[in-house]
Amino acid sequence: MHWLAVVVEPELKDPSIEANLRQFLLVLSVSLGVATLSRVLSILRNIPYTLLLLLVGLGLAVVDVRLVNLSPELILFIFLPPLLFEAAWNIQWSRLKSDFVPILLYAVLGVIICIMGLVFGLQQLAGASLATALLVGASLSATDPVSVTALFRELGVDKRLTTLMEGESLFNDGVAVVAFNLLLGIALGIEQFDVTLTIARFGIFVGLGISLGGLIGFGISFLTQRFDIPLVEQSLTLVSAYGTYIVAEELGGSGVIAVVTTGLILGNFGSRIGMNPRTRLVVSEFWEFLAFFVNSIVFLLIGDQVRFEYLIDYADTILWAIAIILTARAFSIYSLGAFSNAVTKSENISIPGQTVLWWGGLRGSVSVALALSVPESLADRQEIIAVVFGVMLFTLLVQGLTTQPLLSWLNLLGDQPTRQRYTQLVAHRVALNRVLDRLRELIERQEVDKEFARYQIALVEGQLEELQEDLTKLQRSNPEILNFAAEQVRNELLAIESDTYAEFIRAGQLKDELAPLLQDVLPQENPA
C-alpha cells in the first residue's frame, strides 16, 4: 500500500486541483447561503431567490470578484439537463395537453417572430451587422421564467398561467437551440439560408430528440416496474436526464427536446406504473432540491459574469434590443393568443393572462449559454455577448421584480394564504383523528390504563372542536374555499384510482395503464 500512497499524494497536492476545489466550495457556499437566507428572512421573501442571487452576483462583479469562468458547456451540459428534467417531471400532462395548441404556437412561432423582429430591428434601427442580429435574435428567443413561476406558486396564481409559461419555456428552449445552430453557419458565412433545408434539419433535430427521449423514458418506466428500491429509481432518473441529453446531442438530435420528452414520460407515466407513492414522493423531493441547488449556482454565476464596461460601450444597441424584444413578444403573445382562442375549444386565454405571459417572458441561462458559445473567430462576438447580457439583466431585474405588482394590478393574485391556512387546519384534524383512533385501539387491546387514555381522548376531542370552529369561520368568511376543498378531494380520489391501476400493472395483471374513469364523473368544483 506504500507505493499507492506515494503515487496518489502528489496528485492530491496538485495546486490546480486544490484551487478548483476551493473555488467550487466558495461558489457553493455563497449560492446556497444566499438562497437559504432569502427563504428564512421575512424581509427578503418577496424577492425570488434567483433574482436575489443575481443581485449578489452583480455585486461581486462590481468589485471584480470572478468566482469561475462560466462556459457554455457548463450551462448546456451540466446545469441545463436537470433544470429541464425537473420542470418536465412536475408538469401535469393533462394540463399540458389541454393547452398544447397555445404552448406550441408560443414555443415555435413565438421564437420565429422574436428572431425575425430582432434581426430586422437591430439592422434597421441599431445599425447592427447581420451576424450580430442573427445570433442575438437566436440567443434571446428562449424564455426562462423560473423566478416568475416560483412567484406564481407562492402567490397562488391560476395554475393555467403557470402551465402556459412553463410549457412554452420547456419547448422553446429546444427550438431556440436548434435555431441558433442553424443560424450560426449563416452568421459565419459558411452556409446559405435555404427554407427547405432549414425545415428538414429542424425536423431531424426535433424528431430525433422526441424519439430518443420517448425510447429512454418508456424504457426506464417499464424497467422500474421490476423492483422497488427508491435510491436506485432516483438514480435512474438522474442518469436519464444527463444520459438522454448527451446521447441525443451525439446522434445529431436536440438534447433539450429529448430531456423534456423523457421527463414528461417519467413524471406522468413512469412514476405511476413503476413507482409506489412513497418512492414517487422521494424522487420528487430529490428533484425539487436539485433544481433549487442548480438554480442557486446558475443565477449567482450569471450575475458574476457581467462586464459593466461592455454594457456601457454597447448601451445604444442594448436599449434598441430591449424595445424590439418587448414589441416582438407583445405581438407574438397577443396575436397567437387570439388565434389560439379562435381555433381551440378550451377556455380562452384572457387579456390580463396574456399580459402576464408577455411581461413574464424573462431571459436567462439558455440565452447566456448560446451567446457565450459564439466562436472567438467572429469579430462581433463581444457585442453579441454584451447585448444578450444587457437584455437578460433588464428582463430579470425590471420585469422579474415588477411581476407581482402587475399581478396585483390585473387582479390575478390568488388566495394562496387562505388555502394554506385551510390545508393546515385540515391536516391537523386528520392527525388528531388518527390519534383518537390509536387511543381507542389501545383501550380495546388493554395496552394502556383506561383512565389515562380517556383523559387523553378528552383533550384531543377538545382540540378537534376548536379546529372545527376555526374551519367553519374560515369557510364562512371565504366561501370560495369550498371549491378548493372539492378540488383537493377530487384530485385525491383520482390519485387513488390511478395508483390502483398502477398496482395491477406492476403485478403483471394489466399491460396498459387505464384512463381514470372518475375523470368525467367527478364534478370539477363544489356544486354549492
Side-chain angles (χ1 to χ4, degrees):
M1 293 298 291
H2 177 70
W3 64 271
L4 181 61
V6 173
V7 172
V8 172
E9 187 176 2
E11 294 295 328
L12 293 177
K13 291 185 177 180
D14 187 335
S16 62
I17 295 178
E18 185 177 350
N20 290 335
L21 184 59
R22 287 177 180 274
Q23 208 169 29
F24 171 75
L25 292 175
L26 176 62
V27 172
L28 195 63
S29 301
V30 173
S31 59
L32 292 182
V34 173
T36 303
L37 282 176
S38 70
R39 301 298 90 192
V40 173
L41 300 177
S42 57
I43 193 173
L44 300 176
R45 286 181 185 173
N46 290 330
I47 305 175
Y49 77 94
T50 50
L51 298 187
L52 192 63
L53 282 158
L54 179 68
L55 291 171
V56 172
L58 288 172
L60 293 173
V62 168
V63 296
D64 201 28
V65 175
R66 309 295 176 179
L67 296 173
V68 297
N69 181 27
L70 191 61
S71 66
E73 292 78 16
L74 188 64
I75 296 177
L76 293 176
F77 286 91
I78 304 299
F79 294 150
L80 190 57
L83 293 178
L84 291 170
F85 187 92
E86 187 271 341
W89 169 276
N90 285 312
I91 200 166
Q92 292 183 18
W93 172 250
S94 58
R95 293 184 180 276
L96 189 67
K97 184 172 62 175
S98 63
D99 282 316
F100 195 70
V101 171
I103 287 172
L104 200 62
L105 288 172
Y106 290 145
V108 179
L109 295 183
V111 166
I112 295 173
I113 291 171
C114 177
I115 293 175
M116 291 177 63
L118 282 167
V119 170
F120 177 81
L122 288 177
Q123 284 187 286
Q124 298 299 316
L125 301 173
S129 66
L130 176 62
T132 298
L134 285 172
L135 297 182
V136 167
S139 299
L140 291 174
S141 60
T143 57
D144 185 13
V146 59
S147 54
V148 172
T149 52
L151 192 65
F152 281 7
R153 294 191 185 96
E154 190 173 323
L155 298 174
V157 176
D158 181 31
K159 290 182 179 179
R160 189 188 185 198
L161 276 180
T162 306
T163 301
L164 286 168
M165 194 163 280
E166 283 187 329
E168 178 198 2
S169 176
L170 276 175
F171 292 106
N172 74 11
D173 282 351
V175 176
V177 172
V178 172
F180 182 88
N181 290 329
L182 293 174
L183 295 176
L184 183 60
I186 299 172
L188 294 173
I190 59 178
E191 291 184 17
Q192 295 294 322
F193 180 74
D194 182 273
V195 175
T196 305
L197 181 62
T198 300
I199 294 175
R201 289 177 64 186
F202 179 80
I204 292 172
F205 280 132
V206 175
L208 272 174
I210 294 175
S211 301
L212 287 169
L215 183 65
I216 294 173
F218 283 115
I220 293 178
S221 296
F222 290 112
L223 177 64
T224 52
Q225 290 183 40
R226 300 182 176 276
F227 51 82
D228 182 20
I229 309 175
L231 285 177
V232 174
E233 293 173 79
Q234 178 178 289
S235 301
L236 278 174
T237 60
L238 184 61
V239 170
S240 70
Y242 283 106
T244 302
Y245 189 92
I246 293 171
V247 171
E249 290 291 321
E250 287 294 323
L251 295 179
S254 170
V256 174
I257 296 294
V259 172
V260 169
T261 304
T262 301
L264 280 171
I265 292 171
L266 288 176
N268 290 275
F269 176 73
S271 65
R272 291 290 178 186
I273 71 162
M275 301 178 184
N276 61 45
R278 177 178 55 85
T279 302
R280 193 159 61 239
L281 180 62
V282 168
V283 175
S284 295
E285 289 178 343
F286 165 75
W287 279 103
E288 183 180 358
F289 168 74
L290 190 59
F292 171 78
F293 177 81
V294 173
N295 271 319
S296 299
I297 297 175
V298 168
F299 280 85
L300 177 72
L301 294 182
I302 286 176
D304 185 52
Q305 297 299 301
V306 173
R307 307 281 177 175
F308 291 99
E309 61 272 20
Y310 292 126
L311 297 184
I312 295 171
D313 291 342
Y314 298 104
D316 291 345
T317 308
I318 291 171
L319 292 174
W320 277 117
I322 291 170
I324 293 166
I325 204 168
L326 287 175
T327 304
R329 180 155 179 86
F331 176 77
S332 68
I333 290 294
Y334 290 112
S335 62
L336 296 176
F339 179 76
S340 172
N341 290 342
V343 300
T344 59
K345 296 180 180 179
S346 58
E347 182 184 352
N348 286 351
I349 307 173
S350 66
I351 295 298
Q354 292 179 39
T355 303
V356 173
L357 292 175
W358 162 61
W359 194 247
L362 313 184
R363 269 62 181 175
S365 55
V366 174
S367 296
V368 170
L370 294 178
L372 292 175
S373 64
V374 174
E376 297 276 356
S377 58
L378 190 65
D380 299 331
R381 182 177 188 270
Q382 195 55 61
E383 182 181 5
I384 293 168
I385 293 174
V387 173
V388 169
F389 266 89
V391 174
M392 177 208 63
L393 289 176
F394 174 84
T395 63
L396 290 174
L397 297 178
V398 178
Q399 293 177 237
L401 292 174
T402 56
T403 298
Q404 184 172 350
L406 178 65
L407 289 168
S408 178
W409 182 64
L410 294 172
N411 294 319
L412 291 176
L413 285 178
D415 53 354
Q416 186 68 7
T418 303
R419 293 186 176 196
Q420 186 66 26
R421 174 61 179 159
Y422 176 82
T423 304
Q424 289 175 348
L425 291 173
V426 170
H428 287 158
R429 185 173 63 183
V430 171
L432 291 178
N433 276 317
R434 289 181 181 177
V435 170
L436 279 180
D437 292 338
R438 177 59 177 164
L439 285 170
R440 288 164 182 157
E441 181 184 344
L442 290 174
I443 291 175
E444 288 180 7
R445 293 181 178 180
Q446 299 182 349
E447 295 180 11
V448 68
D449 179 72
K450 287 185 179 181
E451 291 301 320
F452 170 79
R454 285 170 182 165
Y455 175 71
Q456 296 298 325
I457 287 174
L459 291 177
V460 174
E461 286 178 340
Q463 290 180 321
L464 277 171
E465 289 178 4
E466 292 179 5
L467 275 175
Q468 190 57 49
E469 288 178 6
D470 291 341
L471 276 169
T472 303
K473 291 177 182 177
L474 189 64
Q475 290 171 352
R476 285 175 180 171
S477 58
N478 301 275
E480 69 279 0
I481 203 69
L482 294 175
N483 291 337
F484 171 69
E487 181 186 355
Q488 295 292 95
V489 172
R490 180 178 184 274
N491 290 337
E492 182 181 358
L493 296 177
L494 287 172
I496 292 171
E497 184 188 6
S498 297
D499 287 340
T500 303
Y501 296 151
E503 288 177 10
F504 275 85
I505 292 173
R506 283 196 293 269
Q509 296 174 312
L510 280 178
K511 293 184 178 179
D512 302 312
E513 186 170 12
L514 299 177
L517 296 174
L518 294 177
Q519 188 81 41
D520 300 320
V521 176
L522 297 175
Q524 291 289 338
E525 57 183 30
N526 188 13

